[in-house]
Coordinates of all heavy atoms in Angstrom, one line a residue:
S23 N 90.4 82.8 102.1 CA 90.1 82.0 103.3 C 91.4 81.5 104.0 O 92.4 81.4 103.3 CB 89.2 80.8 103.1 OG 89.8 79.9 102.3
R24 N 91.4 81.3 105.2 CA 92.6 80.9 105.9 C 92.9 79.4 105.6 O 92.0 78.6 105.4 CB 92.4 81.0 107.4 CG 92.4 82.4 107.9 CD 92.4 82.6 109.4 NE 92.4 84.0 109.7 CZ 92.1 84.5 110.9 NH1 91.8 83.7 111.8 NH2 92.1 85.7 111.1
P25 N 94.2 79.1 105.6 CA 94.6 77.7 105.4 C 94.3 76.9 106.7 O 93.9 77.5 107.7 CB 96.1 77.8 105.3 CG 96.5 79.1 106.0 CD 95.3 80.0 105.8
P26 N 94.4 75.6 106.6 CA 94.2 74.8 107.8 C 95.2 75.2 108.9 O 96.4 75.6 108.5 CB 94.4 73.4 107.3 CG 94.5 73.4 105.9 CD 94.7 74.8 105.4
P27 N 94.9 75.1 110.1 CA 95.9 75.5 111.2 C 97.0 74.6 111.2 O 96.9 73.4 110.9 CB 95.1 75.4 112.5 CG 93.9 74.6 112.2 CD 93.6 74.7 110.7
I28 N 98.2 75.1 111.5 CA 99.4 74.2 111.6 C 99.5 73.6 113.0 O 100.1 72.6 113.2 CB 100.7 74.9 111.2 CG1 100.9 76.2 112.1 CG2 100.8 75.3 109.8 CD1 102.3 76.8 112.0
V29 N 98.9 74.3 114.0 CA 98.8 73.8 115.3 C 97.4 74.1 115.9 O 96.9 75.2 115.7 CB 99.9 74.5 116.2 CG1 99.8 74.0 117.7 CG2 101.3 74.3 115.7
T30 N 96.8 73.1 116.5 CA 95.6 73.4 117.2 C 95.8 73.1 118.7 O 96.1 72.0 119.1 CB 94.5 72.5 116.6 OG1 94.4 72.7 115.2 CG2 93.1 72.8 117.3
L31 N 95.6 74.2 119.5 CA 95.7 74.1 120.9 C 94.3 74.2 121.5 O 93.4 74.8 120.8 CB 96.6 75.2 121.5 CG 98.0 75.2 120.9 CD1 98.7 76.5 121.3 CD2 98.8 74.0 121.3
P32 N 94.0 73.8 122.7 CA 92.7 74.0 123.2 C 92.3 75.5 123.1 O 92.9 76.4 123.7 CB 92.8 73.6 124.7 CG 94.0 72.7 124.7 CD 94.9 73.2 123.6
G33 N 91.2 75.7 122.4 CA 90.7 77.1 122.2 C 91.5 78.0 121.3 O 91.2 79.1 121.1
E34 N 92.6 77.5 120.6 CA 93.4 78.3 119.7 C 93.7 77.6 118.5 O 94.0 76.4 118.5 CB 94.7 78.7 120.4 CG 94.7 79.9 121.3 CD 96.1 80.3 121.7 OE1 96.9 80.4 120.9 OE2 96.2 80.5 122.9
E35 N 93.8 78.3 117.4 CA 94.3 77.7 116.1 C 95.4 78.7 115.7 O 95.3 79.9 115.8 CB 93.2 77.7 115.0 CG 92.1 76.7 115.4 CD 91.0 76.7 114.3 OE1 90.9 77.7 113.5 OE2 90.3 75.7 114.2
V36 N 96.5 78.1 115.2 CA 97.7 78.8 114.8 C 97.9 78.6 113.3 O 97.9 77.5 112.9 CB 98.9 78.4 115.6 CG1 100.1 79.2 115.2 CG2 98.6 78.6 117.1
Y37 N 98.1 79.7 112.6 CA 98.3 79.7 111.1 C 99.7 80.2 110.8 O 100.1 81.2 111.5 CB 97.2 80.5 110.4 CG 95.8 80.0 110.7 CD1 95.1 80.6 111.8 CD2 95.2 79.1 109.9 CE1 93.9 80.2 112.1 CE2 93.9 78.6 110.2 CZ 93.3 79.2 111.3 OH 92.0 78.8 111.6
E38 N 100.3 79.8 109.8 CA 101.6 80.3 109.5 C 101.5 81.4 108.5 O 101.0 81.3 107.4 CB 102.5 79.1 108.9 CG 103.9 79.6 108.7 CD 104.8 78.4 108.2 OE1 104.3 77.3 108.1 OE2 106.0 78.7 108.0
V39 N 102.1 82.6 108.8 CA 102.1 83.8 108.0 C 103.4 83.8 107.2 O 104.5 83.6 107.8 CB 102.0 85.0 108.9 CG1 102.2 86.3 108.1 CG2 100.7 85.0 109.6
D40 N 103.3 84.0 105.9 CA 104.5 84.2 105.1 C 105.0 85.6 105.2 O 106.2 85.9 105.5 CB 104.2 83.8 103.7 CG 105.4 84.0 102.8 OD1 106.4 83.2 102.9 OD2 105.5 85.0 102.0
S41 N 104.1 86.6 105.0 CA 104.5 88.0 105.0 C 103.3 88.9 105.1 O 102.1 88.4 104.9 CB 105.3 88.4 103.8 OG 104.5 88.2 102.6
L42 N 103.5 90.1 105.4 CA 102.5 91.1 105.5 C 102.7 92.0 104.3 O 103.8 92.5 104.0 CB 102.5 92.0 106.8 CG 102.4 91.1 108.0 CD1 102.6 92.0 109.3 CD2 101.1 90.4 108.1
M43 N 101.7 92.2 103.4 CA 101.8 92.9 102.2 C 101.4 94.4 102.2 O 101.8 95.2 101.4 CB 101.1 92.1 101.1 CG 101.6 90.7 101.0 SD 100.9 89.6 99.8 CE 99.5 90.3 99.2
D44 N 100.5 94.7 103.1 CA 99.9 96.1 103.2 C 99.2 96.2 104.5 O 99.0 95.2 105.2 CB 99.0 96.3 102.0 CG 98.7 97.8 101.7 OD1 99.3 98.6 102.4 OD2 98.0 98.1 100.8
H45 N 98.8 97.4 104.8 CA 97.9 97.6 106.0 C 96.9 98.7 105.7 O 97.1 99.5 104.8 CB 98.8 98.0 107.2 CG 99.4 99.4 107.2 ND1 100.5 99.7 106.5 CD2 99.0 100.5 107.8 CE1 100.8 100.9 106.6 NE2 99.9 101.5 107.4
R46 N 95.9 98.8 106.6 CA 94.8 99.8 106.4 C 94.2 100.0 107.8 O 94.2 99.1 108.7 CB 93.8 99.4 105.4 CG 93.0 98.2 105.8 CD 92.0 97.8 104.7 NE 91.2 96.6 105.2 CZ 90.4 96.0 104.4 NH1 90.3 96.3 103.1 NH2 89.7 95.0 104.9
K47 N 93.6 101.2 108.0 CA 92.8 101.5 109.2 C 91.4 100.9 109.0 O 90.8 101.0 108.0 CB 92.7 103.0 109.4 CG 94.0 103.6 109.8 CD 94.4 103.4 111.2 CE 93.8 104.5 112.0 NZ 94.1 104.4 113.4
A48 N 90.9 100.3 110.1 CA 89.6 99.8 110.2 C 89.0 100.3 111.5 O 89.2 99.6 112.5 CB 89.6 98.3 110.1
G49 N 88.4 101.4 111.5 CA 87.9 102.0 112.7 C 89.1 102.5 113.5 O 90.0 103.2 113.0
K50 N 89.2 102.0 114.7 CA 90.4 102.3 115.6 C 91.5 101.2 115.5 O 92.5 101.3 116.1 CB 89.9 102.3 117.1 CG 89.0 103.5 117.4 CD 88.6 103.5 118.8 CE 87.6 104.7 119.1 NZ 87.2 104.7 120.5
N51 N 91.2 100.2 114.7 CA 92.2 99.1 114.5 C 93.0 99.2 113.2 O 92.6 99.9 112.3 CB 91.5 97.8 114.6 CG 90.7 97.6 115.9 OD1 91.3 97.8 117.0 ND2 89.5 97.2 115.8
I52 N 94.0 98.4 113.2 CA 94.8 98.3 111.9 C 94.6 96.9 111.4 O 94.7 95.9 112.2 CB 96.3 98.6 112.2 CG1 96.5 100.0 112.6 CG2 97.1 98.3 110.9 CD1 97.9 100.4 112.9
Q53 N 94.4 96.7 110.1 CA 94.3 95.4 109.5 C 95.5 95.3 108.6 O 96.0 96.3 108.0 CB 93.1 95.2 108.7 CG 91.8 95.2 109.5 CD 90.6 95.0 108.7 OE1 90.5 95.4 107.5 NE2 89.6 94.4 109.3
F54 N 96.0 94.0 108.5 CA 97.1 93.7 107.6 C 96.7 92.8 106.5 O 95.9 91.8 106.8 CB 98.3 93.1 108.4 CG 99.0 94.1 109.3 CD1 98.6 94.2 110.6 CD2 100.0 94.9 108.8 CE1 99.2 95.1 111.4 CE2 100.6 95.8 109.6 CZ 100.2 95.9 111.0
L55 N 97.2 93.0 105.3 CA 96.9 92.0 104.2 C 98.0 90.9 104.4 O 99.2 91.1 104.2 CB 97.0 92.7 102.9 CG 96.7 91.8 101.7 CD1 95.3 91.2 101.8 CD2 96.9 92.6 100.4
V56 N 97.5 89.7 104.8 CA 98.4 88.6 105.2 C 98.5 87.7 104.0 O 97.5 87.2 103.4 CB 97.8 87.8 106.4 CG1 98.6 86.6 106.7 CG2 97.7 88.7 107.6
K57 N 99.8 87.4 103.7 CA 100.1 86.4 102.7 C 100.4 85.1 103.5 O 101.3 85.1 104.3 CB 101.3 86.8 101.8 CG 101.6 85.7 100.8 CD 102.8 86.1 100.0 CE 103.2 85.0 99.1 NZ 104.5 85.3 98.4
W58 N 99.6 84.1 103.4 CA 99.8 82.9 104.1 C 100.9 82.0 103.6 O 101.3 82.1 102.4 CB 98.5 82.0 104.1 CG 97.3 82.7 104.7 CD1 96.2 83.2 104.0 CD2 97.1 83.1 106.0 NE1 95.4 83.8 104.9 CE2 95.9 83.8 106.1 CE3 97.9 82.9 107.2 CZ2 95.4 84.3 107.3 CZ3 97.4 83.4 108.4 CH2 96.1 84.1 108.5
A59 N 101.6 81.2 104.4 CA 102.7 80.4 104.0 C 102.3 79.3 103.0 O 103.0 78.9 102.1 CB 103.3 79.8 105.2
D60 N 101.0 78.9 103.1 CA 100.5 77.9 102.1 C 100.1 78.7 100.8 O 99.2 79.5 100.8 CB 99.2 77.3 102.7 CG 98.6 76.3 101.8 OD1 98.9 76.2 100.6 OD2 97.7 75.5 102.3
P61 N 100.9 78.4 99.7 CA 100.7 79.2 98.5 C 99.3 78.9 97.8 O 98.9 79.7 96.9 CB 101.8 78.7 97.6 CG 102.2 77.4 98.1 CD 101.9 77.4 99.6
T62 N 98.6 77.9 98.2 CA 97.3 77.7 97.6 C 96.2 78.6 98.3 O 95.1 78.6 97.8 CB 96.9 76.2 97.8 OG1 96.7 75.9 99.2 CG2 97.9 75.3 97.2
Q63 N 96.5 79.3 99.3 CA 95.5 80.1 100.0 C 95.6 81.5 99.6 O 96.7 82.1 99.5 CB 95.7 80.0 101.6 CG 95.5 78.6 102.1 CD 94.1 78.0 101.8 OE1 93.1 78.7 102.1 NE2 94.1 76.8 101.4
A64 N 94.4 82.2 99.5 CA 94.4 83.6 99.1 C 94.8 84.5 100.2 O 94.6 84.1 101.4 CB 93.0 83.9 98.6
S65 N 95.4 85.6 99.9 CA 95.7 86.6 100.9 C 94.4 87.1 101.6 O 93.4 87.1 100.9 CB 96.5 87.7 100.3 OG 97.7 87.2 99.8
E66 N 94.5 87.6 102.8 CA 93.3 88.0 103.5 C 93.7 89.2 104.5 O 94.8 89.2 105.0 CB 92.9 86.8 104.3 CG 91.8 87.0 105.3 CD 91.5 85.7 106.1 OE1 92.2 84.7 106.1 OE2 90.4 85.7 106.7
W67 N 92.7 90.1 104.7 CA 92.9 91.1 105.6 C 92.6 90.6 107.0 O 91.5 90.0 107.2 CB 91.9 92.3 105.3 CG 92.3 93.1 104.1 CD1 91.7 93.0 102.9 CD2 93.3 94.1 104.0 NE1 92.4 93.8 102.0 CE2 93.3 94.5 102.7 CE3 94.2 94.6 104.9 CZ2 94.2 95.5 102.3 CZ3 95.1 95.6 104.5 CH2 95.1 96.0 103.2
V68 N 93.5 90.8 108.0 CA 93.4 90.3 109.3 C 93.7 91.4 110.3 O 94.7 92.2 110.1 CB 94.4 89.1 109.5 CG1 94.3 88.6 111.0 CG2 94.1 88.0 108.6
S69 N 93.0 91.5 111.4 CA 93.2 92.6 112.4 C 94.5 92.3 113.1 O 94.9 91.2 113.4 CB 92.0 92.5 113.4 OG 92.3 93.5 114.4
E70 N 95.2 93.4 113.4 CA 96.5 93.2 114.1 C 96.3 92.5 115.4 O 97.2 91.7 115.8 CB 97.1 94.6 114.4 CG 98.4 94.6 115.1 CD 99.0 96.0 115.4 OE1 98.2 96.9 115.4 OE2 100.2 96.0 115.5
R71 N 95.2 92.7 116.1 CA 95.0 92.0 117.4 C 94.9 90.4 117.2 O 95.0 89.7 118.2 CB 93.8 92.6 118.2 CG 92.5 92.2 117.5 CD 91.3 92.7 118.4 NE 90.1 92.3 117.8 CZ 89.3 93.1 117.0 NH1 89.7 94.3 116.7 NH2 88.2 92.6 116.5
D72 N 94.6 90.0 116.0 CA 94.4 88.6 115.8 C 95.7 87.9 115.3 O 95.7 86.7 115.0 CB 93.3 88.3 114.7 CG 91.9 88.7 115.3 OD1 91.8 88.7 116.5 OD2 91.1 89.1 114.5
L73 N 96.8 88.7 115.2 CA 98.0 88.1 114.7 C 98.9 87.8 115.8 O 99.0 88.4 116.9 CB 98.8 89.2 113.8 CG 98.1 89.5 112.5 CD1 98.8 90.6 111.8 CD2 98.0 88.3 111.6
S74 N 99.7 86.7 115.6 CA 100.7 86.2 116.6 C 102.0 86.0 116.0 O 102.5 84.9 116.0 CB 100.1 84.9 117.3 OG 101.0 84.5 118.2
C75 N 102.5 87.0 115.3 CA 103.8 86.9 114.6 C 104.6 88.2 114.8 O 104.8 89.0 113.8 CB 103.5 86.6 113.1 SG 102.4 87.8 112.3
P76 N 105.0 88.5 116.0 CA 105.7 89.8 116.2 C 106.9 90.0 115.4 O 107.2 91.1 115.0 CB 106.1 89.7 117.7 CG 106.0 88.3 118.1 CD 105.0 87.6 117.2
E77 N 107.7 89.0 115.0 CA 108.8 89.2 114.2 C 108.4 89.6 112.8 O 109.1 90.4 112.2 CB 109.7 87.9 114.2 CG 109.0 86.6 113.7 CD 108.1 86.0 114.7 OE1 108.3 86.1 115.9 OE2 107.1 85.4 114.2
V78 N 107.3 89.1 112.3 CA 106.8 89.5 110.9 C 106.3 90.9 111.0 O 106.6 91.7 110.1 CB 105.7 88.5 110.4 CG1 105.2 89.0 109.1 CG2 106.3 87.1 110.3
L79 N 105.6 91.3 112.1 CA 105.1 92.6 112.2 C 106.3 93.6 112.3 O 106.3 94.7 111.7 CB 104.3 92.8 113.5 CG 102.9 92.2 113.3 CD1 102.2 92.0 114.7 CD2 102.0 93.2 112.5
R80 N 107.3 93.3 113.1 CA 108.5 94.2 113.2 C 109.2 94.3 111.8 O 109.6 95.4 111.5 CB 109.5 93.6 114.2 CG 109.2 94.0 115.6 CD 110.3 93.7 116.6 NE 109.8 93.2 117.8 CZ 109.5 91.9 118.1 NH1 109.9 91.0 117.3 NH2 109.0 91.6 119.2
A81 N 109.3 93.2 111.1 CA 110.0 93.3 109.8 C 109.2 94.2 108.8 O 109.7 95.0 108.1 CB 110.1 91.9 109.2
Y82 N 107.8 94.1 108.9 CA 107.0 94.9 108.0 C 107.2 96.4 108.3 O 107.4 97.2 107.4 CB 105.5 94.5 108.2 CG 104.5 95.4 107.5 CD1 104.3 95.1 106.1 CD2 103.9 96.4 108.1 CE1 103.4 96.0 105.4 CE2 103.0 97.2 107.4 CZ 102.8 97.0 106.1 OH 101.9 97.8 105.4
W83 N 107.1 96.8 109.6 CA 107.2 98.2 110.0 C 108.6 98.7 109.7 O 108.8 99.8 109.2 CB 106.8 98.4 111.4 CG 105.4 98.3 111.7 CD1 104.8 97.5 112.6 CD2 104.3 99.0 111.1 NE1 103.4 97.6 112.6 CE2 103.1 98.6 111.7 CE3 104.2 100.0 110.1 CZ2 101.8 99.1 111.3 CZ3 103.0 100.5 109.7 CH2 101.8 100.0 110.3
T84 N 109.6 97.9 109.9 CA 111.0 98.3 109.6 C 111.2 98.5 108.1 O 111.7 99.5 107.7 CB 112.0 97.2 110.1 OG1 111.8 97.1 111.5 CG2 113.4 97.6 109.8
F85 N 110.7 97.6 107.3 CA 110.7 97.7 105.8 C 110.1 99.0 105.4 O 110.5 99.7 104.5 CB 110.1 96.5 105.2 CG 110.1 96.6 103.7 CD1 111.2 96.4 102.9 CD2 108.9 96.9 103.0 CE1 111.2 96.4 101.5 CE2 108.8 97.0 101.6 CZ 110.0 96.8 100.9
R86 N 109.0 99.4 106.0 CA 108.2 100.6 105.6 C 108.8 101.8 106.2 O 108.3 102.9 106.0 CB 106.8 100.4 106.0 CG 106.1 99.3 105.3 CD 104.7 99.3 105.2 NE 104.1 100.6 105.0 CZ 103.4 100.9 103.9 NH1 103.4 100.1 102.8 NH2 102.9 102.1 103.8
G87 N 109.9 101.7 107.0 CA 110.6 102.9 107.6 C 109.9 103.4 108.8 O 110.1 104.5 109.3
E88 N 109.0 102.6 109.4 CA 108.3 103.0 110.6 C 108.9 102.3 111.8 O 108.4 101.5 112.5 CB 106.8 102.5 110.5 CG 106.0 103.1 109.3 CD 105.5 104.5 109.6 OE1 105.6 104.9 110.8 OE2 105.0 105.1 108.7
L89 N 110.1 102.8 112.2 CA 110.9 102.2 113.2 C 110.2 102.4 114.6 O 110.3 101.5 115.5 CB 112.3 102.8 113.3 CG 113.1 102.5 112.0 CD1 114.5 103.1 112.1 CD2 113.2 101.1 111.6
T90 N 109.5 103.5 114.8 CA 108.8 103.6 116.1 C 107.7 102.6 116.3 O 107.6 102.0 117.3 CB 108.2 105.0 116.1 OG1 109.2 106.0 116.0 CG2 107.5 105.3 117.5
K91 N 107.0 102.3 115.2 CA 106.0 101.3 115.3 C 106.6 99.9 115.4 O 106.1 99.0 116.1 CB 105.1 101.3 114.0 CG 104.2 102.5 114.0 CD 103.3 102.5 112.8 CE 102.4 103.7 112.8 NZ 101.6 103.8 111.6
A92 N 107.7 99.7 114.8 CA 108.4 98.4 114.9 C 108.8 98.1 116.3 O 108.7 97.0 116.8 CB 109.6 98.3 114.0
K93 N 109.3 99.1 117.0 CA 109.7 99.0 118.4 C 108.6 98.7 119.4 O 108.7 98.2 120.4 CB 110.5 100.2 118.9 CG 111.9 100.3 118.2 CD 112.6 101.5 118.6 CE 113.9 101.6 117.9 NZ 114.6 102.9 118.2
K94 N 107.4 99.2 119.0 CA 106.2 99.0 119.9 C 105.5 97.7 119.7 O 104.6 97.4 120.5 CB 105.2 100.1 119.5 CG 105.6 101.5 120.0 CD 104.6 102.5 119.7 CE 105.0 103.9 120.2 NZ 104.0 104.9 119.9
V95 N 105.9 96.8 118.8 CA 105.3 95.5 118.6 C 105.5 94.7 119.9 O 106.6 94.6 120.3 CB 105.8 94.8 117.4 CG1 105.3 93.4 117.3 CG2 105.5 95.6 116.1
K96 N 104.4 94.2 120.4 CA 104.5 93.3 121.6 C 105.3 92.1 121.3 O 105.2 91.5 120.2 CB 103.1 93.0 122.1 CG 102.4 94.2 122.6 CD 101.0 93.9 123.0 CE 100.2 95.1 123.3 NZ 98.8 94.8 123.6
K97 N 106.0 91.6 122.3 CA 106.8 90.4 122.0 C 105.9 89.1 121.7 O 106.3 88.3 121.0 CB 107.7 90.1 123.3 CG 108.8 91.1 123.4 CD 109.7 90.7 124.5 CE 110.8 91.8 124.6 NZ 111.8 91.5 125.5
R98 N 104.8 89.0 122.3 CA 103.9 87.9 122.1 C 102.5 88.3 122.0 O 102.0 88.9 123.0 CB 104.1 86.9 123.2 CG 103.4 85.6 122.9 CD 104.1 84.5 123.7 NE 103.5 83.2 123.4 CZ 103.9 82.3 122.5 NH1 104.9 82.7 121.7 NH2 103.3 81.2 122.3
Q99 N 101.8 88.2 120.9 CA 100.4 88.5 120.8 C 99.6 87.2 120.6 O 100.1 86.2 120.1 CB 100.2 89.4 119.5 CG 100.9 90.7 119.7 CD 100.7 91.6 118.4 OE1 100.9 91.1 117.3 NE2 100.4 92.8 118.6
K100 N 98.4 87.3 121.1 CA 97.5 86.1 121.0 C 96.7 86.1 119.7 O 96.4 87.2 119.2 CB 96.5 86.2 122.2 CG 97.2 85.9 123.5 CD 97.3 84.5 123.7 CE 97.8 84.2 125.2 NZ 98.1 82.8 125.4
I101 N 96.5 84.9 119.2 CA 95.6 84.8 118.1 C 94.1 84.6 118.7 O 93.9 84.0 119.7 CB 95.9 83.5 117.3 CG1 97.1 83.8 116.4 CG2 94.7 82.9 116.6 CD1 97.3 82.7 115.4
R102 N 93.2 85.2 118.0 CA 91.8 85.1 118.4 C 91.0 84.4 117.3 O 91.2 84.5 116.2 CB 91.2 86.5 118.6 CG 91.8 87.1 119.8 CD 91.2 88.5 120.1 NE 91.9 89.1 121.2 CZ 91.7 90.2 121.6 NH1 90.7 91.0 121.1 NH2 92.4 90.7 122.6

């Protein structure tokens, strides 16, 4: 389960991501196995469209040697 939000904005909750550990296809979408910054919280599969951490996404794709995907990461993504 997700940790408590670090910031709550009207209509939005923001959680702190430590790292992305893996990815998988889910239909037409990609999900990432998210390791939360709060070490007491279990890792969780989260849809890419629900992430708002472009720098973490770029680092993940770069580490995996997927430089084309790293360059395509949007500068700012919304959390849903």
Side-chain angles (χ1 to χ4, degrees):
S23 67
R24 288 188 180 164
I28 56 170
V29 178
T30 302
L31 303 171
E34 277 190 46
E35 293 180 340
V36 179
Y37 304 88
E38 188 174 0
V39 172
D40 178 70
S41 62
L42 302 175
M43 302 177 351
D44 200 0
H45 73 280
R46 67 183 182 189
K47 291 282 269 177
K50 295 181 181 180
N51 299 312
I52 296 176
Q53 292 181 332
F54 290 92
L55 184 57
V56 175
K57 179 180 176 191
W58 300 110
D60 181 344
T62 65
Q63 299 299 313
S65 298
E66 171 181 18
W67 288 101
V68 177
S69 177
E70 181 177 26
R71 70 174 185 264
D72 293 335
L73 294 174
S74 180
C75 53
E77 57 286 330
V78 176
L79 283 163
R80 274 192 220 93
Y82 175 81
W83 289 124
T84 300
F85 176 77
R86 298 200 40 111
E88 300 277 353
L89 299 180
T90 302
K91 289 181 181 177
K93 290 177 183 177
K94 289 183 179 179
V95 172
K96 296 176 185 172
K97 291 186 180 190
R98 189 155 180 92
Q99 293 178 314
K100 291 278 187 186
I101 279 191
R102 294 182 183 178

